[in-house]
């Protein structure tokens, strides 16, 4: 780019970029590199700026794709960068701003080029571009060092070993960005890349010793959420105490004391700090995916979080994501819902959330909730999500996971808020009306088929089957609560009695007869006691009669059914969810989340 280039519009005509991407080979020892890397072009800080940059440089990048097999200039640029990184740590200690600035610029150009290379070719072709040298057209040296692996190792070392100072902040960010670019190959392939070359390098060979250190460093970056230094700090020295050190990342991460462990690549981290950071950052879908990945793939994290006595700090932001479903992108909603599903797999969680009382939930606008348990609020939000899905997106996958979360909780429903109990029955009412409508449409369709053989008819049988599956699950949820915690939920019994006519049509239905036995028994039993108490009963008197009746109802009269338990299985994600999910996963590779629990284990550490 050169010292004179500072605007995006100038880039396509820049003489240095033209030479880099042109037909002439440039030796790695050529003074040209100092000229190319001496630019003060500001790195993009938003998606809009990034898009403008990509549009301005696409012609240059494609020219390099075409000419690199003959010139090997990509490899020469990477070797220049690698040679400079060997002195980067010393340069940071000596406050050598110019050297760090040029090294950052080299990595910035490499990252921009790699985006286009990865977008337009396979990993095998990309790997080949790293081997081209200045020879006859299309020739390459297969015996030379593996430049791709060396670059990946260098990025990992840069992220973990270079102290994070004001002057090194931007090159550290660029190293993480370049690592994300390397891990983004899946985004440009429809088929799943089971044998990704970049991932293979990261998990084996020279990169392997750095994996746990990289994960730990990036997790601490996430925990600390430090703000960037003032613009231009990496170019011009700033007056500050202590050399401009933003935070003691090097001492806090790189020098944690070792401890004996039989698990390879294990490390310690402060779980409390990680938990607090996760609670505070759930407004971003990347942080929600980080939480999901840790809960799903790491049993130590999951055990720690479920043992917390302040789970409301984590659950409330997740519920707020679901509550504002229309304002969130689909994969953010999916992640939030899956997190709830994972949490509700634990019986201790399902009990404890009904013991946490909340006051004045300001973001819940349908009704003023002056006081409600966390469990009842969770039920309200999940039911609202189901109803939103029924009228808008009609996503069966979302339905299934919402109902699974309610089912997991149902045996531990305790002291349900009257509004939560009402919404459970209201959802069943909505499903019942939908069932009747589809049944009527199916009947009319059948009559129409008898009078005309030429007109194709909708498959109402399939729609009816789906709605009946959902209705049965709702009945199982209600039944589970009545069977396991009837004496704890007078408000649910009240709501069932108030809408008792809803259940009449399902008593003799072959798909629901068995599950209706207990519900019918409870409705009949308490209806009889209310009838004996006389007419014109107040709400308070009805609840009193219900509480008295619970004691009198013989428990052996309620038929026992298998416990409702649903476990989240990752493979059940729908195909359309795969791409946004992978993109978020790639993004969060910046916090070290690609590695599986078999490769990386986290252990608790006392607070700093």
């Amino acid at each position: 780019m050169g010292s004179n280039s500072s605007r995006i519009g100038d880039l396509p005509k820049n003489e240095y970029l033209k030479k880099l991407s042109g037909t002439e080979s440039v030796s790695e020892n050529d003074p040209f590199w100092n000229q190319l890397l001496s630019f003060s072009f500001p790195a993009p800080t938003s998606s809009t700026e990034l898009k403008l940059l990509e549009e301005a440089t696409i012609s240059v990048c494609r020219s390099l794709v075409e000419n690199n097999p003959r010139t090997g200039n990509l490899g020469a640029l990477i070797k220049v960068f690698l040679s400079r990184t060997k002195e980067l740590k010393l340069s940071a200690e000596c406050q050598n701003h110019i050297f760090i600035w040029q090294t950052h610029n080299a990595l910035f150009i490499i990252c921009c080029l790699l985006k286009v290379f990865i977008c337009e070719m396979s990993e095998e072709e990309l790997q080949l571009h790293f081997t081209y040298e200045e020879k006859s057209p299309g020739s390459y040296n297969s015996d030379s060092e593996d430049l791709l692996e060396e670059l990946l190792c260098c990025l990992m070392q840069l992220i973990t070993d270079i102290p994070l100072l004001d002057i090194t902040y931007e090159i550290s960010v660029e190293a993480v960005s370049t690592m994300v670019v390397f891990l983004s190959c899946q985004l440009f392939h429809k088929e799943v890349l089971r044998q990704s070359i970049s991932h293979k390098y990261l998990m084996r060979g020279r990169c392997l010793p750095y994996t746990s250190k990289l994960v730990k460093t990036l997790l601490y970056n996430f925990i600390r959420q430090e703000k960037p230094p003032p613009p231009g700090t990496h170019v011009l020295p700033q007056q500050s105490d202590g050399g401009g050190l933003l935070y003691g990342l090097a001492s806090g991460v790189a020098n944690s004391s070792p401890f004996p462990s039989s698990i390879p690549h294990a490390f310690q981290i402060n779980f409390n700090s990680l938990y607090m950071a996760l609670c505070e950052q759930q407004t971003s879908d990347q942080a929600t995916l980080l939480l999901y990945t840790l809960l799903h793939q790491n049993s130590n994290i999951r055990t720690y979080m479920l043992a917390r006595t302040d789970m409301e700090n984590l659950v409330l932001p997740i519920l707020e994501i679901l509550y504002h479903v229309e304002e969130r992108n689909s994969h953010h909603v999916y992640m939030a819902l899956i997190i709830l599903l994972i949490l509700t797999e634990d019986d201790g969680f399902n009990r404890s959330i009904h013991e946490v009382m909340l006051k004045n939930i300001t973001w819940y606008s349908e009704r003023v909730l002056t006081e409600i348990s966390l469990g009842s609020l969770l039920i309200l939000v999940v039911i609202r999500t189901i109803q939103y899905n029924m009228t808008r997106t009609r996503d069966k996958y979302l339905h299934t996971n919402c109902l699974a979360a309610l089912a997991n909780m149902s045996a531990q429903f305790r002291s349900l808020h009257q509004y939560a109990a009402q919404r459970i029955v209201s959802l069943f009412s909505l499903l019942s009306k939908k069932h009747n409508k589809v049944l009527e449409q199916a009947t009319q369709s059948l009559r129409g088929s008898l009078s005309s053989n030429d007109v194709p008819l909708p498959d109402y049988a399939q729609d009816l089957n789906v709605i009946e599956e959902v209705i049965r699950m709702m009945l199982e949820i209600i039944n589970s609560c009545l069977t396991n915690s009837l004496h704890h939920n007078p408000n649910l019994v009240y709501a069932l009695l108030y809408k008792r006519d809803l259940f009449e049509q399902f008593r003799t239905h072959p798909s629901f007869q068995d599950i209706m036995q207990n519900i019918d028994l409870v409705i009949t039993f308490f209806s009889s006691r209310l009838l004996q108490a006389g007419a014109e009963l107040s709400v308070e008197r009805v609840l009193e009669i219900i509480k008295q009746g619970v004691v009198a109802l013989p428990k052996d009269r309620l038929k026992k059914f298998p416990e409702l338990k649903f476990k989240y299985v990752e493979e059940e994600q729908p195909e359309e969810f795969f791409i946004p999910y992978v993109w978020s996963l790639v993004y969060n590779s910046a916090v070290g989340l690609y590695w599986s629990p078999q490769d990386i284990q986290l252990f608790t550490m006392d607070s700093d």
Side-chain angles (χ1 to χ4, degrees):
M1 293 183 181
S3 58
N4 296 324
S5 181
S6 60
R7 295 189 307 167
I8 289 180
D10 298 332
L11 296 180
K13 303 174 184 177
N14 184 273
E15 57 180 299
Y16 298 101
L17 290 179
K18 283 185 175 181
K19 184 173 181 178
L20 172 66
S21 60
T23 57
E24 178 186 348
S25 296
V26 184
S27 167
E28 58 190 274
N29 299 316
D30 195 300
F32 160 79
W33 298 110
N34 283 330
Q35 298 169 332
L36 172 70
L37 302 179
S38 298
F39 64 87
S40 57
F41 181 80
T45 57
S46 67
S47 57
T48 302
E49 292 178 0
L50 187 61
K51 186 176 181 181
L52 290 174
L53 174 64
E54 291 172 350
E55 291 173 350
T57 56
I58 187 66
S59 60
V60 172
C61 295
R62 286 176 175 167
S63 178
L64 182 63
V65 170
E66 181 181 347
N67 295 321
N68 187 59
R70 292 180 292 276
T71 65
N73 284 348
L74 175 64
L77 171 62
I78 291 172
K79 288 176 183 178
V80 169
F81 168 72
L82 292 174
S83 67
R84 286 173 171 269
T85 57
K86 294 174 183 176
E87 303 176 40
L88 195 59
K89 194 169 185 179
L90 180 61
S91 298
E93 294 172 358
C94 298
Q95 298 282 297
N96 190 336
H97 292 256
I98 301 299
F99 187 89
I100 295 173
W101 165 48
Q102 291 186 334
T103 308
H104 163 268
N105 288 348
L107 184 55
F108 177 73
I109 295 174
I110 290 170
C111 187
C112 291
L113 293 172
L114 284 176
K115 287 179 184 178
V116 177
F117 275 68
I118 286 175
C119 178
E120 300 197 352
M121 64 185 67
S122 67
E123 279 195 299
E124 290 74 19
E125 291 174 297
L126 174 66
Q127 188 177 30
L128 200 58
H129 271 275
F130 276 76
T131 65
Y132 292 131
E133 296 182 352
E134 183 185 358
K135 291 187 176 181
S136 57
S139 66
Y140 61 92
N141 187 355
S142 59
D143 297 326
S144 64
E145 72 274 21
D146 194 327
L147 209 57
L148 176 55
E149 183 178 27
E150 190 173 351
L151 178 58
L152 281 169
C153 284
C154 178
L155 293 174
M156 296 177 79
Q157 291 173 323
L158 199 159
I159 294 168
T160 59
D161 293 346
I162 300 301
L164 200 51
L165 314 174
D166 283 358
I167 60 172
T168 61
Y169 185 94
E170 289 196 16
I171 193 171
S172 297
V173 171
E174 203 61 46
V176 173
S177 299
T178 308
M179 184 73 75
V180 171
V181 170
F182 265 119
L183 294 172
S184 67
C185 293
Q186 179 65 76
L187 295 176
F188 308 102
H189 297 273
K190 292 183 179 179
E191 71 282 1
V192 177
L193 298 180
R194 301 293 183 187
Q195 301 294 328
S196 169
I197 294 174
S198 298
H199 296 157
K200 180 188 70 175
Y201 279 132
L202 289 173
M203 300 310 299
R204 303 175 192 168
R206 295 169 57 191
C207 294
L208 185 59
Y210 299 98
T211 53
S212 60
K213 195 175 181 181
L214 176 67
V215 175
K216 182 173 182 176
T217 301
L218 293 170
L219 281 174
Y220 268 113
N221 284 349
F222 173 79
I223 288 170
R224 302 191 183 199
Q225 296 287 319
E226 293 289 347
K227 302 298 182 184
T233 305
H234 69 300
V235 180
L236 301 174
Q238 301 286 314
Q239 297 294 325
S240 62
D241 296 331
L245 181 65
L246 282 177
Y247 40 84
L249 186 65
S251 61
V253 177
N255 300 320
S256 293
S257 58
F259 65 99
S261 174
S262 59
I263 304 175
H265 315 302
F267 61 86
Q268 290 180 301
I269 194 169
N270 189 320
F271 274 18
N272 180 64
S273 298
L274 180 59
Y275 176 81
M276 297 305 294
L278 287 166
C279 292
E280 293 169 0
Q281 298 297 321
Q282 288 308 305
T283 51
S284 76
D285 52 357
Q286 294 86 10
T288 303
L289 180 59
L290 171 52
L291 173 59
Y292 153 74
T293 308
L294 291 172
L295 279 173
H296 179 50
Q297 295 191 343
N298 195 288
S299 58
N300 295 313
I301 283 281
R302 186 167 60 253
T303 300
Y304 173 83
M305 289 187 176
L306 287 169
R308 296 279 304 203
T309 57
D310 60 347
M311 278 297 288
E312 66 272 17
N313 291 334
L314 186 67
V315 175
L316 282 173
I318 299 300
L319 294 183
E320 194 167 355
I321 293 169
L322 292 175
Y323 185 79
H324 297 294
V325 58
E326 64 279 356
E327 301 172 10
R328 305 291 182 178
N329 57 58
S330 59
H331 60 276
H332 198 182
V333 173
Y334 279 130
M335 285 293 99
L337 184 56
I338 292 169
I339 287 168
L340 288 186
L341 180 55
I342 293 172
L343 293 174
T344 60
E345 292 171 11
D346 183 77
D347 286 341
F349 171 83
N350 295 332
R351 286 191 296 270
S352 65
I353 55 175
H354 292 286
E355 298 169 2
V356 178
M357 298 307 297
L358 308 169
K359 293 185 178 181
N360 300 320
I361 308 300
T362 55
W363 48 262
Y364 194 95
S365 59
E366 272 86 346
R367 178 165 172 159
V368 176
L369 300 175
T370 54
E371 186 174 63
I372 189 171
S373 71
L374 179 60
S376 289
L377 181 63
L378 196 159
I379 292 168
L380 284 175
V381 173
V382 172
I383 288 176
R384 185 181 184 275
T385 305
I386 294 174
Q387 292 179 323
Y388 176 85
N389 185 51
M390 287 177 65
T391 57
R392 304 285 183 87
T393 56
R394 303 182 69 183
D395 186 333
K396 183 181 177 182
Y397 176 76
L398 199 67
H399 256 30
T400 301
N401 283 282
C402 284
L403 291 169
L406 290 176
N408 286 346
M409 296 168 58
S410 59
Q412 277 83 35
F413 282 172
R414 295 289 188 277
S415 304
L416 290 183
H417 191 280
Q418 61 179 11
Y419 186 51
Q422 290 172 18
R423 299 309 295 164
I424 291 174
V425 178
S426 295
L427 175 58
F428 185 81
S429 174
L430 183 64
L431 292 168
S432 176
K433 292 176 182 177
K434 190 171 182 65
H435 176 267
N436 293 340
K437 182 179 179 180
V438 174
L439 187 61
E440 183 181 352
Q441 289 172 333
T443 303
Q444 292 176 352
S445 174
L446 182 61
R447 290 171 182 166
S449 65
L450 297 177
S451 60
S452 175
N453 296 324
D454 300 327
V455 181
L457 298 172
D459 186 8
Y460 290 111
Q462 184 178 356
D463 291 344
L464 197 61
N465 183 57
V466 170
I467 193 67
E468 287 186 354
E469 286 180 5
V470 177
I471 287 176
R472 179 171 179 87
M473 196 151 181
M474 277 302 301
L475 288 173
E476 288 177 341
I477 290 168
I478 295 171
N479 178 73
S480 174
C481 176
L482 298 179
T483 305
N484 294 282
S485 54
L486 176 65
H487 55 296
H488 288 299
N489 293 289
N491 283 329
L492 180 60
V493 176
Y494 183 99
L496 292 173
L497 292 172
Y498 190 76
K499 294 284 188 178
R500 71 192 79 177
D501 294 343
L502 278 176
F503 300 90
E504 192 67 31
Q505 62 176 310
F506 299 105
R507 292 176 61 187
T508 57
H509 195 291
S511 298
F512 312 117
Q513 262 185 322
D514 58 334
I515 205 71
M516 274 297 301
Q517 290 180 30
N518 288 341
I519 299 173
D520 188 42
L521 173 64
V522 168
I523 290 175
T524 303
F525 176 82
F526 286 98
S527 295
S528 175
R529 295 183 72 89
L530 291 176
L531 191 61
Q532 294 173 14
E536 303 297 329
L537 300 175
S538 65
V539 173
E540 292 75 15
R541 177 57 181 150
V542 171
L543 287 172
E544 183 182 346
I545 293 170
I546 291 172
K547 292 174 184 177
Q548 294 170 351
V550 166
V551 179
L553 178 64
K555 300 298 183 292
D556 56 358
R557 291 184 61 185
L558 295 173
K559 181 181 177 181
K560 289 290 183 181
F561 286 84
E563 184 182 8
L564 292 178
K565 271 298 173 188
F566 294 87
K567 189 175 180 63
Y568 168 67
V569 180
E570 193 169 32
E571 287 71 23
E572 290 180 355
Q573 292 166 352
E575 186 176 342
E576 62 269 21
F577 179 54
F578 181 72
I579 291 299
Y581 171 79
V582 169
W583 170 240
S584 292
L585 184 58
V586 166
Y587 187 97
N588 267 301
S589 293
V591 284
L593 296 181
Y594 179 78
W595 294 276
S596 67
Q598 289 76 23
D599 298 311
I600 297 295
Q601 288 288 327
L602 305 181
F603 289 84
T604 54
M605 181 174 70
D606 293 336
S607 299
D608 296 333

